[in-house]
């Protein structure tokens, strides 16, 4: 009796070392062992093995928004769907919170691994029905493979697949990428940015610049777009395209975005009190899709508006099409709740990538911002002028106003006036300015 109990206990503790208790799948260390064994078994024949590293794209938000029980059930359901995509000889493991790995022990060509990745992606984009919630999920997948003649340690192969997975995330998620050596360097650089970024948020090294938005017919300042900059003591001024993506992937965009909203609201309130303007200035603030997905966004933003004492009609949030196209119905609900705070909404970078045209009339949006890629080449590329013209007409028909971004020449400015575009922003008027220079610009415009 005692010895049976001993065996059961020993089995349980051994099981706990090598298997994940939630899904019953092998864990990371067993997966790496199995990879190693596979490579020993197959030597010296040179056949290829591949590892797929699969990561759920928005798992943290699901966990935060719907609770850990739902999160756990999603992990279990995901593991079952993954299993259903695999041949019996392929090994599946749970190697992290929302991370799975698949070993394809023999591979004739790389296309096979890609086909499995495609199949996984298709399976996992079908909505999950968990505790009254329809959960839409996507995955990013990294693929690494080795000729066994290389006899690469299993751990390295898994690491390479993970690096490729990060690359897939950076490129926009919901896709797969095959590992390349250059990705290793990029991954290290990314890690460095992440470490510095954490430090920078603690040390408050961020600053808002303000780029004026002009009324094209009166050529007066209508408002400003707040654009974040990182003033690094070591590297000087760093532009947002160097750190916003990392901030989004690491969740650091949440505290950073909170600060940006606060700072911009306080600034516009200060300017509108300081200057006797005919019309109060409007501040446009960029909202990352990660902020948009936060379940408590509206409550958070409401408290920022209250604390700053800003007139909510002077605040406009800029949201990109991609942020709202992943779940249109949910997005419309969030946009309506934001609108109910009394603020305005703008669709940023309009016209590129996603085609939200068929939904546009459902979005409670006040303004379309035409992407600068169309504005920039209106003179040279005739079709761009036609596109701008069509967007202006479309917006007006839907009762929206239009801001043209990236106006760099007088000719572009005049074409836009002709097309009845109301507002414009770009180097022809002014580059983004630090707070003191923007204040001077308002003063000068009043003196005219
Ligand atoms: P965006 O929201 O489309 O901002 C406009 C970008 O165009 C700004 O780049 C601005 O400096 C640039 N720009 C303005 N006029 C011209 C022009 O005439 N010619 C050219 N070539 N460029 C012009 P910036 O400041 O580097 O920001 C890039 C992007 O980073 C922004 O695109 C936005 O998506 C993101 N971003 C900036 N600040 C924030 C922020 O506070 N929060 C979030 N979530 N994203 C931000
Ligand atoms: Mg913007
Ligand atoms: Mg834009």
């Amino acid at each position: 009796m005692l010895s049976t109990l001993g065996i059961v206990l020993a089995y349980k503790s051994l099981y706990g070392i090598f298997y994940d208790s939630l899904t019953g799948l092998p864990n990371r260390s067993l997966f790496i062992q199995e990879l190693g064994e596979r490579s020993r078994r197959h030597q010296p024949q040179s056949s290829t093995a591949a590892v797929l590293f699969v990561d759920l794209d928005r798992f943290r938000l699901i966990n935060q928004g719907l609770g850990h029980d739902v999160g756990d059930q999603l992990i279990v359901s995901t593991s079952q769907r993954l299993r259903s995509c695999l041949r019996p000889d392929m090994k599946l493991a749970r190697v992290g919170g929302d991370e799975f790995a698949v070993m394809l022990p023999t591979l004739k060509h790389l296309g096979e691994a890609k086909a499995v990745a495609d199949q996984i992606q298709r399976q996992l984009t079908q909505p999950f029905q968990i505790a009254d919630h329809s959960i839409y999920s996507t995955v990013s997948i990294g693929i690494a493979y080795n000729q066994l003649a290389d006899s690469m340690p299993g751990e390295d192969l898994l690491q390479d697949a993970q690096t490729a997975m990060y690359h897939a995330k950076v490129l926009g998620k919901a896709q797969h990428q095959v590992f390349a050596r250059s990705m290793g360097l990029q991954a290290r650089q990314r890690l460095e940015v992440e470490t510095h970024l954490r430090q920078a948020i603690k040390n408050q090294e961020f600053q808002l610049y303000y780029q004026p938005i002009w009324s094209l017919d009166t050529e007066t300042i209508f408002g400003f777009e707040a654009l974040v900059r990182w003033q690094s003591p070591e590297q000087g001024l760093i532009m947002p395209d160097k750190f916003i993506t990392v901030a989004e992937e690491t969740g650091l965009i949440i505290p950073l975005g909170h600060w940006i909203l606060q700072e911009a609201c306080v600034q516009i309130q200060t300017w509108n009190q300081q200057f006797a303007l005919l019309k109060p200035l409007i501040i446009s603030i960029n909202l990352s899709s990660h902020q948009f997905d936060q379940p408590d966004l509206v409550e958070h933003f409401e408290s920022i508006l209250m604390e700053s004492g800003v007139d909510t009609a002077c605040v406009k949030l800029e949201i990109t099409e991609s942020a709202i196209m992943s779940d249109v119905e949910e997005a419309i609900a969030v946009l309506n709740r934001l609108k109910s705070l009394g603020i305005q909404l703008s669709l940023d970078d309009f016209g590129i990538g996603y085609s939200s045209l068929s939904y546009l009339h459902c979005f409670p949006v006040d303004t379309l911002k035409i992407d600068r890629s169309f504005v920039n080449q209106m003179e040279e590329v005739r079709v761009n002028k036609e596109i701008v013209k069509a967007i202006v007409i479309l917006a007006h028909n839907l009762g929206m106003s239009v801001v043209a971004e990236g106006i760099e020449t007088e000719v572009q400015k005049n074409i836009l006036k002709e097309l009845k575009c109301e507002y414009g922003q770009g180097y022809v008027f002014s580059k983004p300015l630090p707070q003191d220079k923007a204040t001077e610009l308002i003063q000068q415009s009043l003196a005219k």
Side-chain angles (χ1 to χ4, degrees):
M1 176 69 187
L2 270 179
S3 76
T4 311
L5 192 66
I7 290 167
V8 169
L9 286 177
Y11 172 79
K12 275 196 165 173
S13 72
L14 207 62
Y15 185 88
I17 294 171
F18 290 116
Y19 287 88
D20 165 47
S21 59
L22 182 64
T23 58
L25 289 174
N27 63 15
R28 190 181 188 103
S29 62
L30 181 56
F31 185 76
I32 289 170
Q33 270 191 33
E34 286 182 336
L35 265 179
E37 271 164 28
R38 188 247 165 240
S39 92
R40 272 191 297 282
R41 235 180 303 132
H42 282 259
Q43 264 174 357
Q45 301 153 264
S46 70
S47 74
T48 305
V51 168
L52 269 55
F53 198 104
V54 182
D55 184 289
L56 291 179
D57 283 332
R58 298 192 315 155
F59 185 68
R60 190 181 25 211
L61 291 173
I62 291 162
N63 235 351
Q64 281 171 359
L66 302 177
H68 289 263
D69 283 348
V70 173
D72 281 356
Q73 287 181 54
L74 180 64
I75 292 293
V76 173
S77 304
T78 302
S79 72
Q80 289 160 352
R81 281 210 197 157
L82 279 169
R83 186 73 266 168
S84 74
C85 302
L86 307 179
R87 283 198 320 252
D89 63 323
M90 298 174 178
K91 295 240 185 286
L92 176 65
R94 183 179 180 207
V95 293
D98 61 344
E99 297 166 340
F100 297 89
V102 179
M103 178 189 4
L104 316 187
T106 50
L107 208 63
K108 288 193 199 74
H109 50 82
L110 184 59
E112 265 184 69
K114 290 183 177 176
V116 174
D118 281 337
Q119 170 68 6
I120 290 175
Q121 240 133 13
R122 267 196 302 276
Q123 273 293 325
L124 294 183
T125 40
Q126 305 298 321
F128 288 90
Q129 207 56 49
I130 295 173
D132 292 343
H133 302 285
S134 285
I135 299 176
Y136 291 83
S137 168
T138 57
V139 286
S140 298
I141 303 177
I143 304 174
Y145 64 100
N146 76 330
Q147 298 286 332
L148 280 171
D150 298 350
S151 74
M152 189 190 221
E155 196 154 4
D156 291 358
L157 197 57
L158 184 64
Q159 182 60 57
D160 286 355
Q162 185 167 14
T163 301
M165 181 279 292
Y166 276 130
H167 208 72
K169 290 236 186 234
V170 172
L171 293 177
K173 303 184 179 145
Q175 57 182 286
H176 63 254
Q177 286 290 316
V178 179
F179 177 76
R181 291 273 150 244
S182 60
M183 287 178 185
L185 177 66
Q186 286 170 16
R188 272 196 299 284
Q189 285 171 343
R190 186 192 165 284
L191 198 66
E192 243 169 62
V193 175
E194 181 182 335
T195 314
H196 288 149
L197 204 55
R198 279 184 201 283
Q199 216 52 47
I201 290 179
K202 244 192 235 148
N203 300 343
Q204 303 184 328
E205 290 169 11
F206 295 93
Q207 210 178 328
L208 286 188
Y209 271 48
Y210 299 91
Q211 187 177 33
I213 298 172
W214 297 76
S215 291
L216 291 179
D217 59 346
T218 57
E219 300 225 355
T220 53
I221 303 175
F222 170 74
F224 289 89
E225 176 172 7
L227 294 160
V228 69
R229 305 287 183 259
W230 174 4
Q231 187 66 55
S232 155
E234 295 92 29
Q235 297 176 61
L237 198 68
I238 305 178
M239 302 302 275
D241 58 340
K242 296 279 182 300
F243 62 88
I244 289 283
T245 310
V246 180
E248 287 176 336
E249 284 165 12
T250 50
L252 291 170
I253 192 70
I254 302 303
L256 178 60
H258 187 95
W259 175 82
I260 291 167
L261 287 168
Q262 244 169 359
E263 182 79 6
C265 287
V266 168
Q267 185 58 62
I268 204 66
Q269 171 68 358
T270 310
W271 278 332
N272 281 335
Q273 284 184 335
Q274 186 178 354
F275 298 110
L277 298 151
L278 279 178
K279 272 199 206 150
L281 295 167
I282 306 290
I283 190 81
S284 285
I285 311 169
N286 293 286
L287 198 74
S288 140
S289 54
H290 287 244
Q291 287 171 279
F292 189 74
D293 286 339
Q294 289 297 305
D296 56 358
L297 165 73
V298 180
E299 291 74 18
H300 237 93
F301 189 40
E302 186 174 20
S303 63
I304 291 174
L305 290 169
M306 301 249 284
E307 277 164 30
S308 68
V310 70
D311 174 1
T312 53
C314 299
V315 178
K316 197 181 259 196
L317 287 185
E318 294 195 1
I319 297 157
T320 56
E321 289 177 271
S322 55
I324 53 182
M325 289 311 287
S326 58
D327 183 349
V328 174
E329 276 169 32
E330 175 64 20
I332 292 173
V334 176
L335 292 174
N336 277 319
R337 289 177 59 215
L338 283 169
K339 277 293 290 180
S340 72
L341 301 175
I343 62 156
Q344 300 184 53
L345 296 173
S346 180
L347 262 192
D348 204 356
D349 307 338
F350 188 78
I352 51 165
Y354 290 76
S355 64
S356 54
L357 285 182
S358 50
Y359 293 103
L360 201 54
H361 68 283
C362 310
F363 296 135
V365 163
D366 306 272
T367 307
L368 296 187
K369 280 192 98 167
I370 308 178
D371 190 69
R372 74 163 182 268
S373 57
F374 301 117
V375 175
N376 255 327
Q377 291 181 10
M378 276 191 310
E379 296 138 280
E380 300 86 11
V381 187
R382 207 189 128 68
V383 70
N384 279 351
K385 185 177 163 187
E386 293 305 318
I387 290 173
V388 172
K389 189 175 170 182
I391 295 177
V392 174
I393 294 171
L394 176 71
H396 289 170
N397 282 345
L398 294 172
M400 300 171 185
S401 61
V402 186
V403 179
E405 287 187 310
I407 312 175
E408 293 185 354
T409 66
E410 287 292 325
V411 176
Q412 289 165 1
K413 188 173 89 181
N414 290 331
I415 296 177
L416 288 159
K417 274 185 175 180
E418 227 175 79
L419 296 178
K420 304 266 184 303
C421 172
E422 293 93 333
Y423 307 107
Q425 179 183 355
Y427 296 167
V428 76
F429 299 111
S430 164
K431 292 202 164 178
L433 303 168
Q435 183 264 335
D436 55 341
K437 292 277 182 285
T439 307
E440 276 173 28
L441 187 76
I442 305 172
Q443 269 160 345
Q444 283 164 14
S445 79
L446 278 175
K448 274 187 191 161

